Amino acid sequence: MIQFTLNRRVAAYLGAAFFFFLIISGAVTHHVRPDIYQNWKNGSLVLNPADNPTQPFQEEIFPLAKAGKIPKINPQNIVTDKNHKTPLFIGFTRNWYLLEQAVVSYIAAGWPADQITVIDNSGVMDSNLHGLLSPRNPWYLNHTRLDQLGVKIKRTPTLLTFAQLQNYFINSAIEQNWSYFFWSHMDVVVLSKEYESPYKGFYARILDCLRELVDTKEKWALKFFAYDWLTLVNVSAMKDMGGWDTQIPYYMTDCDMYERLKMKDFTLGDFNAGHIYDIGSHLSDLAILFPAEGENNALDTQRFKDLRSELEGMMKEKQENKQGRNYWQARQDGGEGEPFWRNPVGFEKSIRFWIERGRELFRMKWNYSECDLKKAGRRLSQDWA
Ligand SMILES: *[C@@H]1O[C@H](CO)[C@@H](O)[C@H](O)[C@H]1NC(C)=O
Ligand SMILES: *[C@@H]1O[C@H](CO)[C@@H](O)[C@H](O)[C@H]1NC(C)=O
Ligand SMILES: *[C@@H]1O[C@H](CO)[C@@H](O)[C@H](O)[C@H]1NC(C)=O
Ligand SMILES: *[C@@H]1O[C@H](CO)[C@@H](O)[C@H](O)[C@H]1NC(C)=O
Ligand SMILES: *[C@@H]1O[C@H](CO)[C@@H](O)[C@H](O)[C@H]1NC(C)=O
């Protein structure tokens, strides 16, 4: 049993492991914040154990849901469009608290819950389905809560790498005859721009984006909503490219994919639907994402203003803590002995190992080690030259 509180070295490792998780959950692209990209390249993610904060573990961050009283969303965020479905995948590997927060924020922003699918890529097989893990286990996920929220859950057959998970998304879309889908990181919170007049919510803008694309002549492959924290994917473009290169499991695999798309003259555009905060910690009560009692359809209330500044603070905190400080806020340091539990330190070291090998492979594939393959003159026929 790891004595977490007594061993700062282990605490540091766990922090680093979590930071890596945040990154590999999809955040590493040339679309990503330059500081993360630079840190990654430098391989300088060493924690100073003395910097590691000790925020107490909070087992329940949405007491109203536990009490069976999920709040109503702002009626102004309810938008329906029979012609445009918006299937959204959110991949999960670790940290239930960040996942729940992301899912709830999408729902509060108007995303229909039944169009959200959480992809359980925890690698613990059916353990979460049967409630066998404890909340302190990093791979814990509350199936009952997700059912209660009305979102779907789909389980990967085994723990997939980032690139494999992307192909899994594509294959799931193909199975359901979807010509497009959205995928989101799990360490985000979305928020509508309630202070804008006339008001248009986050989800309403997502629908706008889709409607625009229906009539376009543009050969589009991807639309990014704040880097790739939320991405709209054109399935036929993915088929055309043969999907992601799963031999490059984590870092650089996105460069490989996005650059190949560019080489085939697909567009990778940006669209602004509202705020997407990239954060490594959780709110203390998710109820703040919903109108308070009596607030009903009011916009830009004091609650909203406070929430916005809190989220901005959380995002800033994550960005400023280049060493990975504060990224292990939930303190999920337990679960040893539970089904499919793995040593988190070993888990992190192994991922690091494969990241390095993936980087080497990218270099072998393209005879180049940076992201800007197309700009550097590489063409599709020139891989493995
Ligand atoms: C990473 O390396 C680059 C260039 O070598 C340097 O400019 C940058 O300050 C380094 N960043 C960190 C966080 O060490
Ligand atoms: C999981 O969620 C359900 C439904 O909200 C709740 O009743 C249950 O207490 C939660 N489980 C744990 C271990 O928190
Ligand atoms: C997808 O389309 C095929 C034929 O076009 C059909 O046989 C199949 O049932 C459809 N699948 C779903 C999930 O709608
Ligand atoms: C995806 O891209 C293809 C090829 O450019 C295009 O024909 C198709 O309309 C796009 N799909 C959607 C849903 O817009
Ligand atoms: C790989 O790149 C180097 C320089 O960047 C070049 O000298 C070499 O010929 C390239 N190798 C192949 C096989 O193209």
Side-chain angles (χ1 to χ4, degrees):
M1 184 73 197
I2 295 171
Q3 285 302 310
F4 190 85
T5 47
L6 299 179
N7 191 334
R8 306 195 107 174
R9 215 173 118 89
V10 170
Y13 272 123
L14 286 169
F18 182 54
F19 182 63
F20 267 91
F21 160 67
L22 290 177
I23 290 180
I24 62 157
S25 67
V28 185
T29 73
H30 53 307
H31 275 271
V32 86
R33 288 199 323 267
D35 62 322
I36 288 194
Y37 179 64
Q38 200 56 54
N39 265 310
W40 185 274
K41 280 179 65 182
N42 292 6
S44 61
L45 293 165
V46 184
L47 279 186
N48 175 2
D51 287 344
N52 216 41
T54 48
Q55 187 194 322
F57 174 73
Q58 190 188 336
E59 187 171 316
E60 182 55 72
I61 64 168
F62 199 9
L64 281 177
K66 193 174 174 107
K69 297 178 193 150
I70 295 172
K72 293 220 176 344
I73 76 169
N74 191 319
Q76 298 210 51
N77 286 346
I78 302 173
V79 190
T80 47
D81 182 336
K82 286 197 188 74
N83 299 322
H84 296 93
K85 290 261 172 271
T86 50
L88 168 63
F89 292 126
I90 307 180
F92 167 81
T93 296
R94 285 189 293 177
N95 201 324
W96 155 251
Y97 299 96
L98 290 189
L99 175 80
E100 183 182 23
Q101 173 172 261
V103 168
V104 169
S105 81
Y106 276 107
I107 292 172
W111 208 294
D114 63 359
Q115 292 182 35
I116 300 175
T117 306
V118 169
I119 304 291
D120 174 359
N121 184 41
S122 57
V124 299
M125 316 253 164
D126 59 354
S127 309
N128 279 316
L129 176 65
H130 297 301
L132 302 179
L133 305 190
S134 59
R136 273 183 186 258
N137 188 316
W139 293 279
Y140 163 81
L141 175 145
N142 189 334
H143 260 249
T144 321
R145 176 67 49 83
L146 292 178
D147 285 343
Q148 183 190 6
L149 290 168
V151 309
K152 298 192 176 74
I153 310 166
K154 205 171 150 132
R155 201 164 66 230
T156 58
T158 183
L159 180 70
L160 304 181
T161 65
F162 174 75
Q164 289 170 331
L165 189 62
Q166 290 296 332
N167 280 348
Y168 185 83
F169 290 167
I170 295 166
N171 186 60
S172 304
I174 290 171
E175 278 176 355
Q176 294 170 85
N177 296 335
W178 294 336
S179 56
Y180 60 84
F181 65 90
F182 295 82
W183 74 271
S184 168
H185 289 213
M186 56 159 279
D187 50 351
V188 298
V189 169
V190 301
L191 199 64
S192 303
K193 294 179 175 170
E194 292 195 8
Y195 45 84
E196 274 184 2
S197 166
Y199 174 66
K200 191 168 247 187
F202 189 93
Y203 184 68
R205 288 182 194 275
I206 291 288
L207 287 172
D208 279 351
C209 175
L210 275 179
R211 290 190 204 106
E212 264 178 38
L213 285 172
V214 167
D215 301 321
T216 186
K217 294 259 181 314
E218 189 183 325
K219 193 182 164 192
W220 71 279
L222 303 168
K223 287 281 171 196
F224 296 112
F225 301 83
Y227 306 114
D228 67 354
W229 298 340
L230 170 65
T231 308
L232 170 60
V233 181
N234 180 336
V235 174
S236 81
M238 296 300 117
K239 283 185 178 171
D240 197 346
M241 296 312 304
W244 292 64
D245 185 346
T246 55
Q247 310 278 26
I248 309 172
Y250 300 102
Y251 182 59
M252 301 307 274
T253 199
D254 42 7
C255 300
D256 175 86
M257 184 72 209
Y258 300 162
E259 291 295 312
R260 283 189 290 123
L261 285 166
K262 287 185 197 165
M263 290 174 203
K264 258 206 157 169
D265 298 318
F266 279 105
T267 64
L268 288 67
D270 293 295
F271 197 95
N272 190 341
H275 296 285
I276 304 184
Y277 298 99
D278 168 42
I279 57 186
S281 50
H282 63 74
L283 297 159
S284 60
D285 187 345
L286 299 185
I288 195 178
L289 292 163
F290 298 84
E293 198 120 352
E295 235 181 64
N296 196 21
N297 63 357
L299 294 171
D300 204 19
T301 56
Q302 193 56 45
R303 173 195 58 83
F304 174 84
K305 290 188 213 298
D306 293 346
L307 170 62
R308 193 176 155 213
S309 67
E310 184 171 3
L311 291 169
E312 261 152 27
M314 286 157 80
M315 176 148 146
K316 195 149 168 275
E317 183 180 51
K318 178 172 171 186
Q319 285 173 357
E320 280 171 0
N321 288 310
K322 294 203 171 110
Q323 304 285 303
R325 209 146 62 97
N326 291 348
Y327 288 134
W328 193 246
Q329 303 258 7
R331 311 292 280 189
Q332 285 175 296
D333 56 344
E336 192 175 352
E338 292 173 3
F340 302 102
W341 184 88
R342 339 156 168 86
N343 180 327
V345 178
F347 189 78
E348 185 267 336
K349 283 190 177 172
S350 309
I351 286 173
R352 222 185 255 224
F353 176 89
W354 288 117
I355 284 164
E356 281 310 314
R357 297 295 87 77
R359 203 188 298 218
E360 276 172 37
L361 206 79
F362 180 91
R363 194 158 46 232
M364 283 164 68
K365 181 175 179 180
W366 296 106
N367 191 26
Y368 191 67
S369 52
E370 299 293 322
C371 249
D372 57 341
L373 291 170
K374 189 177 178 190
K375 215 166 130 209
R378 296 298 187 277
R379 297 294 169 257
L380 282 175
S381 56
Q382 293 171 342
D383 60 343
W384 299 111

